[in-house]
Amino acid sequence: MHIIVTGGAGYIGTHTCLELLQSGHAVTVIDNLSNSCQEALRRVERLAGRSLRFFPADLTDPAAVDDIFRQSRDAAAVIHFAGLKAVGESAVKPLLYYHNNLTGTINLCQAMQRHGVKNLVFSSSATVYGDPASVPIREDFPLGTCTNPYARTKAMIEDILRDLHRADAAWNIALLRYFNPVGAHESGEIGEDPNGIPNNLMPYIAQVAVGRLPQLAVFGNDYPTADGTGVRDFIHVVDLAVGHLRALEKLAQQPGVAAYNLGTGHGCSVLELIAAFEKASGRKIPYRITPRRPGDIACCYADPSLAQRELRWKAERDVAAMCADTWNWQSKNPNGYRSDAG
Ligand code: NAD
Ligand code: UD1
């Protein structure tokens, strides 16, 4: 199949493009490189031994998007990763986030409609559940109160896509709610390369381990969890990427619109992740306990059984593999993709 991948140069996008190419699919990437670089796509091509087609375009430009679809007559489906994702920045620049994420998605769907491509996989997030009443979280839990504009863009886009299907049943849409993607391809050639100081736990730990940052701050040890630190469902990015291929197969059965949790079903605390990373890397991770980060919840992990039943997908890689692969990527590329680019 020919798959259009928006945001394909980013962290999850590159890993998914690689799985698509390795499974024999043709891939067209649309990315404005606002949070990524073309070197990442070159490495994907090298790993796959095949090339993909790349359009450096912005989804907020409807003419550019339409033109790409005009040049992609045999496209069967779209995987839509493109979006801005920094929670803190979204509170400071809400209009940027609403414009980029919502307008970008609407332009994309309009072009898809115009060109008769009505199969879509969308990157949603466990953040749409807010602070869940209990764990593990099932897809039929009520969608929670979002605490920031980024989270609201995900909840709003889910609503828009459900409305689109209600208006035209020919649309088939998988809303994939990711838990906490971490790790890297086992080659160490592609991985997460955040701009500036990382906001998220795993890339922060990795940069401390490699000596780019001096110390980790653990945001609170007074949560009602076993060791007092936050508990999350970390999922290996390659497992996540494979989940997108299973979702595409599901769309071929014309299921309408459906939401799926992509997580392992296991909770891991901040202190447990630090210990696992120390073991994988052989490096000490200095840390200090600081107050809670506003908006954080105590505990969040998935019930992934719906994806297992309906997508025939299950996460295979454990926390040890997530840490080993993150360390392999970070130690081979201490400055991310810039190491090679100079
Ligand atoms: P990323 O920033 O690495 O990738 C997103 C890509 O989209 C980047 O390459 C960026 O340049 C591109 N992009 C952004 N706006 C664009 C636009 N208007 N036009 C064209 N390209 C644009 O992020 P990621 O971690 O790979 O996340 C991918 C998707 O998954 C995002 O939608 C994100 O919100 C969602 N998600 C990520 C996580 C996570 O922890 N990484 C968790 C849940 C959901
Ligand atoms: C973050 C996003 C969320 C997104 C999710 C996907 C924030 C506030 N939320 O969630 O919208 O859907 O990623 O991956 O960014 N921690 C530390 N020190 C750090 C960083 C984090 O102790 O330097 C702790 C946090 O308090 C939390 C855990 O580590 O308990 C995980 O944090 P993080 O990696 O930022 O992910 P989430 O907060 O789950």
Side-chain angles (χ1 to χ4, degrees), residues 2 4 28 53 55 63-75 115:
H2 176 188
I4 294 179
T28 292
R53 201 166 54 140
F55 289 97
V65 178
D66 197 69
D67 193 47
I68 295 166
F69 276 82
R70 212 172 301 123
Q71 297 178 55
S72 310
R73 298 227 176 263
D74 61 340
H115 294 273

PDB file of all heavy atoms in Angstrom, residues 2 4 28 53 55 63-75 115:
ATOM      1  N   HIS A   2       0.316   2.329  -0.515  1.00  0.00           N
ATOM      2  CA  HIS A   2       0.999   3.622  -0.442  1.00  0.00           C
ATOM      3  C   HIS A   2       0.399   4.404   0.736  1.00  0.00           C
ATOM      4  O   HIS A   2      -0.803   4.691   0.750  1.00  0.00           O
ATOM      5  CB  HIS A   2       0.803   4.371  -1.761  1.00  0.00           C
ATOM      6  CG  HIS A   2       1.388   5.745  -1.761  1.00  0.00           C
ATOM      7  ND1 HIS A   2       1.180   6.646  -2.777  1.00  0.00           N
ATOM      8  CD2 HIS A   2       2.197   6.394  -0.868  1.00  0.00           C
ATOM      9  CE1 HIS A   2       1.824   7.774  -2.502  1.00  0.00           C
ATOM     10  NE2 HIS A   2       2.441   7.641  -1.356  1.00  0.00           N
ATOM     11  N   ILE A   4       0.546   7.808   3.242  1.00  0.00           N
ATOM     12  CA  ILE A   4       1.036   9.164   3.486  1.00  0.00           C
ATOM     13  C   ILE A   4       1.224   9.329   4.999  1.00  0.00           C
ATOM     14  O   ILE A   4       0.313   9.024   5.781  1.00  0.00           O
ATOM     15  CB  ILE A   4       0.050  10.213   2.936  1.00  0.00           C
ATOM     16  CG1 ILE A   4      -0.002  10.098   1.396  1.00  0.00           C
ATOM     17  CG2 ILE A   4       0.438  11.629   3.370  1.00  0.00           C
ATOM     18  CD1 ILE A   4      -0.944  11.060   0.718  1.00  0.00           C
ATOM     19  N   THR A  28       5.059   8.199   1.637  1.00  0.00           N
ATOM     20  CA  THR A  28       5.233   9.624   1.360  1.00  0.00           C
ATOM     21  C   THR A  28       5.168  10.367   2.680  1.00  0.00           C
ATOM     22  O   THR A  28       4.180  10.229   3.417  1.00  0.00           O
ATOM     23  CB  THR A  28       4.118  10.148   0.427  1.00  0.00           C
ATOM     24  OG1 THR A  28       4.284   9.548  -0.859  1.00  0.00           O
ATOM     25  CG2 THR A  28       4.161  11.662   0.288  1.00  0.00           C
ATOM     26  N   ARG A  53       9.343   9.058  -0.271  1.00  0.00           N
ATOM     27  CA  ARG A  53       9.182  10.361  -0.913  1.00  0.00           C
ATOM     28  C   ARG A  53       8.936  11.392   0.182  1.00  0.00           C
ATOM     29  O   ARG A  53       8.117  11.157   1.086  1.00  0.00           O
ATOM     30  CB  ARG A  53       7.978  10.291  -1.856  1.00  0.00           C
ATOM     31  CG  ARG A  53       7.978  11.343  -2.943  1.00  0.00           C
ATOM     32  CD  ARG A  53       6.959  10.968  -4.013  1.00  0.00           C
ATOM     33  NE  ARG A  53       5.642  10.741  -3.434  1.00  0.00           N
ATOM     34  CZ  ARG A  53       4.502  11.141  -3.998  1.00  0.00           C
ATOM     35  NH1 ARG A  53       4.521  11.788  -5.155  1.00  0.00           N
ATOM     36  NH2 ARG A  53       3.353  10.893  -3.428  1.00  0.00           N
ATOM     37  N   PHE A  55       8.056  15.426   1.214  1.00  0.00           N
ATOM     38  CA  PHE A  55       7.617  16.789   0.883  1.00  0.00           C
ATOM     39  C   PHE A  55       7.815  17.680   2.111  1.00  0.00           C
ATOM     40  O   PHE A  55       7.147  17.473   3.131  1.00  0.00           O
ATOM     41  CB  PHE A  55       6.135  16.806   0.501  1.00  0.00           C
ATOM     42  CG  PHE A  55       5.835  16.175  -0.820  1.00  0.00           C
ATOM     43  CD1 PHE A  55       5.404  14.852  -0.886  1.00  0.00           C
ATOM     44  CD2 PHE A  55       5.965  16.890  -2.006  1.00  0.00           C
ATOM     45  CE1 PHE A  55       5.115  14.258  -2.100  1.00  0.00           C
ATOM     46  CE2 PHE A  55       5.674  16.306  -3.226  1.00  0.00           C
ATOM     47  CZ  PHE A  55       5.252  14.988  -3.283  1.00  0.00           C
ATOM     48  N   ALA A  63      -3.112  24.665   0.186  1.00  0.00           N
ATOM     49  CA  ALA A  63      -2.761  24.448  -1.227  1.00  0.00           C
ATOM     50  C   ALA A  63      -1.623  23.439  -1.347  1.00  0.00           C
ATOM     51  O   ALA A  63      -1.638  22.552  -2.218  1.00  0.00           O
ATOM     52  CB  ALA A  63      -2.366  25.779  -1.879  1.00  0.00           C
ATOM     53  N   ALA A  64      -0.650  23.557  -0.448  1.00  0.00           N
ATOM     54  CA  ALA A  64       0.483  22.622  -0.484  1.00  0.00           C
ATOM     55  C   ALA A  64       0.014  21.200  -0.198  1.00  0.00           C
ATOM     56  O   ALA A  64       0.442  20.248  -0.867  1.00  0.00           O
ATOM     57  CB  ALA A  64       1.540  23.045   0.551  1.00  0.00           C
ATOM     58  N   VAL A  65      -0.887  21.066   0.763  1.00  0.00           N
ATOM     59  CA  VAL A  65      -1.372  19.725   1.127  1.00  0.00           C
ATOM     60  C   VAL A  65      -2.161  19.127  -0.039  1.00  0.00           C
ATOM     61  O   VAL A  65      -1.979  17.960  -0.414  1.00  0.00           O
ATOM     62  CB  VAL A  65      -2.247  19.782   2.409  1.00  0.00           C
ATOM     63  CG1 VAL A  65      -2.788  18.405   2.769  1.00  0.00           C
ATOM     64  CG2 VAL A  65      -1.435  20.347   3.578  1.00  0.00           C
ATOM     65  N   ASP A  66      -3.017  19.962  -0.631  1.00  0.00           N
ATOM     66  CA  ASP A  66      -3.822  19.480  -1.759  1.00  0.00           C
ATOM     67  C   ASP A  66      -2.926  19.014  -2.907  1.00  0.00           C
ATOM     68  O   ASP A  66      -3.170  17.981  -3.533  1.00  0.00           O
ATOM     69  CB  ASP A  66      -4.758  20.597  -2.234  1.00  0.00           C
ATOM     70  CG  ASP A  66      -5.865  20.033  -3.097  1.00  0.00           C
ATOM     71  OD1 ASP A  66      -6.720  19.313  -2.537  1.00  0.00           O
ATOM     72  OD2 ASP A  66      -5.833  20.259  -4.319  1.00  0.00           O
ATOM     73  N   ASP A  67      -1.877  19.775  -3.156  1.00  0.00           N
ATOM     74  CA  ASP A  67      -0.952  19.455  -4.242  1.00  0.00           C
ATOM     75  C   ASP A  67      -0.271  18.096  -4.000  1.00  0.00           C
ATOM     76  O   ASP A  67      -0.091  17.311  -4.938  1.00  0.00           O
ATOM     77  CB  ASP A  67       0.090  20.577  -4.337  1.00  0.00           C
ATOM     78  CG  ASP A  67       0.875  20.463  -5.614  1.00  0.00           C
ATOM     79  OD1 ASP A  67       0.238  20.270  -6.676  1.00  0.00           O
ATOM     80  OD2 ASP A  67       2.115  20.507  -5.545  1.00  0.00           O
ATOM     81  N   ILE A  68       0.071  17.814  -2.758  1.00  0.00           N
ATOM     82  CA  ILE A  68       0.721  16.526  -2.446  1.00  0.00           C
ATOM     83  C   ILE A  68      -0.255  15.375  -2.713  1.00  0.00           C
ATOM     84  O   ILE A  68       0.120  14.348  -3.282  1.00  0.00           O
ATOM     85  CB  ILE A  68       1.229  16.508  -0.988  1.00  0.00           C
ATOM     86  CG1 ILE A  68       2.341  17.548  -0.812  1.00  0.00           C
ATOM     87  CG2 ILE A  68       1.725  15.117  -0.594  1.00  0.00           C
ATOM     88  CD1 ILE A  68       2.690  17.872   0.629  1.00  0.00           C
ATOM     89  N   PHE A  69      -1.520  15.575  -2.334  1.00  0.00           N
ATOM     90  CA  PHE A  69      -2.500  14.510  -2.609  1.00  0.00           C
ATOM     91  C   PHE A  69      -2.713  14.339  -4.112  1.00  0.00           C
ATOM     92  O   PHE A  69      -2.930  13.226  -4.592  1.00  0.00           O
ATOM     93  CB  PHE A  69      -3.828  14.777  -1.879  1.00  0.00           C
ATOM     94  CG  PHE A  69      -3.789  14.288  -0.459  1.00  0.00           C
ATOM     95  CD1 PHE A  69      -3.206  15.049   0.546  1.00  0.00           C
ATOM     96  CD2 PHE A  69      -4.291  13.034  -0.128  1.00  0.00           C
ATOM     97  CE1 PHE A  69      -3.129  14.591   1.854  1.00  0.00           C
ATOM     98  CE2 PHE A  69      -4.226  12.560   1.178  1.00  0.00           C
ATOM     99  CZ  PHE A  69      -3.649  13.338   2.168  1.00  0.00           C
ATOM    100  N   ARG A  70      -2.640  15.454  -4.853  1.00  0.00           N
ATOM    101  CA  ARG A  70      -2.774  15.361  -6.322  1.00  0.00           C
ATOM    102  C   ARG A  70      -1.655  14.500  -6.901  1.00  0.00           C
ATOM    103  O   ARG A  70      -1.840  13.804  -7.881  1.00  0.00           O
ATOM    104  CB  ARG A  70      -2.761  16.770  -6.926  1.00  0.00           C
ATOM    105  CG  ARG A  70      -3.619  16.851  -8.167  1.00  0.00           C
ATOM    106  CD  ARG A  70      -3.799  18.270  -8.700  1.00  0.00           C
ATOM    107  NE  ARG A  70      -4.393  19.175  -7.754  1.00  0.00           N
ATOM    108  CZ  ARG A  70      -3.847  20.317  -7.338  1.00  0.00           C
ATOM    109  NH1 ARG A  70      -2.673  20.697  -7.788  1.00  0.00           N
ATOM    110  NH2 ARG A  70      -4.467  21.089  -6.471  1.00  0.00           N
ATOM    111  N   GLN A  71      -0.496  14.557  -6.257  1.00  0.00           N
ATOM    112  CA  GLN A  71       0.649  13.763  -6.733  1.00  0.00           C
ATOM    113  C   GLN A  71       0.715  12.381  -6.077  1.00  0.00           C
ATOM    114  O   GLN A  71       1.740  11.704  -6.153  1.00  0.00           O
ATOM    115  CB  GLN A  71       1.948  14.508  -6.416  1.00  0.00           C
ATOM    116  CG  GLN A  71       2.085  15.850  -7.113  1.00  0.00           C
ATOM    117  CD  GLN A  71       3.393  16.525  -6.698  1.00  0.00           C
ATOM    118  OE1 GLN A  71       4.464  15.953  -6.836  1.00  0.00           O
ATOM    119  NE2 GLN A  71       3.286  17.734  -6.175  1.00  0.00           N
ATOM    120  N   SER A  72      -0.357  11.998  -5.369  1.00  0.00           N
ATOM    121  CA  SER A  72      -0.341  10.720  -4.622  1.00  0.00           C
ATOM    122  C   SER A  72      -1.632   9.949  -4.911  1.00  0.00           C
ATOM    123  O   SER A  72      -2.353   9.559  -4.002  1.00  0.00           O
ATOM    124  CB  SER A  72      -0.233  10.983  -3.114  1.00  0.00           C
ATOM    125  OG  SER A  72       0.813  11.861  -2.822  1.00  0.00           O
ATOM    126  N   ARG A  73      -1.911   9.753  -6.192  1.00  0.00           N
ATOM    127  CA  ARG A  73      -3.224   9.214  -6.594  1.00  0.00           C
ATOM    128  C   ARG A  73      -3.516   7.828  -6.036  1.00  0.00           C
ATOM    129  O   ARG A  73      -4.677   7.464  -5.859  1.00  0.00           O
ATOM    130  CB  ARG A  73      -3.336   9.190  -8.126  1.00  0.00           C
ATOM    131  CG  ARG A  73      -3.250  10.568  -8.744  1.00  0.00           C
ATOM    132  CD  ARG A  73      -4.329  10.809  -9.787  1.00  0.00           C
ATOM    133  NE  ARG A  73      -4.250  12.190 -10.290  1.00  0.00           N
ATOM    134  CZ  ARG A  73      -5.005  13.168  -9.823  1.00  0.00           C
ATOM    135  NH1 ARG A  73      -5.897  12.951  -8.890  1.00  0.00           N
ATOM    136  NH2 ARG A  73      -4.859  14.399 -10.314  1.00  0.00           N
ATOM    137  N   ASP A  74      -2.465   7.044  -5.784  1.00  0.00           N
ATOM    138  CA  ASP A  74      -2.706   5.671  -5.305  1.00  0.00           C
ATOM    139  C   ASP A  74      -2.630   5.561  -3.776  1.00  0.00           C
ATOM    140  O   ASP A  74      -2.617   4.448  -3.246  1.00  0.00           O
ATOM    141  CB  ASP A  74      -1.698   4.708  -5.950  1.00  0.00           C
ATOM    142  CG  ASP A  74      -0.254   5.075  -5.594  1.00  0.00           C
ATOM    143  OD1 ASP A  74      -0.027   6.245  -5.187  1.00  0.00           O
ATOM    144  OD2 ASP A  74       0.627   4.223  -5.700  1.00  0.00           O
ATOM    145  N   ALA A  75      -2.612   6.696  -3.065  1.00  0.00           N
ATOM    146  CA  ALA A  75      -2.512   6.619  -1.592  1.00  0.00           C
ATOM    147  C   ALA A  75      -3.741   5.908  -1.031  1.00  0.00           C
ATOM    148  O   ALA A  75      -4.878   6.193  -1.422  1.00  0.00           O
ATOM    149  CB  ALA A  75      -2.387   8.012  -1.002  1.00  0.00           C
ATOM    150  N   HIS A 115      -9.772  14.024  -2.330  1.00  0.00           N
ATOM    151  CA  HIS A 115      -9.072  13.051  -3.171  1.00  0.00           C
ATOM    152  C   HIS A 115      -9.506  11.611  -2.870  1.00  0.00           C
ATOM    153  O   HIS A 115      -8.886  10.659  -3.348  1.00  0.00           O
ATOM    154  CB  HIS A 115      -7.552  13.216  -3.012  1.00  0.00           C
ATOM    155  CG  HIS A 115      -7.079  14.539  -3.549  1.00  0.00           C
ATOM    156  ND1 HIS A 115      -6.744  14.732  -4.877  1.00  0.00           N
ATOM    157  CD2 HIS A 115      -6.951  15.748  -2.958  1.00  0.00           C
ATOM    158  CE1 HIS A 115      -6.403  16.003  -5.057  1.00  0.00           C
ATOM    159  NE2 HIS A 115      -6.522  16.644  -3.903  1.00  0.00           N
TER     160      HIS A 115
END
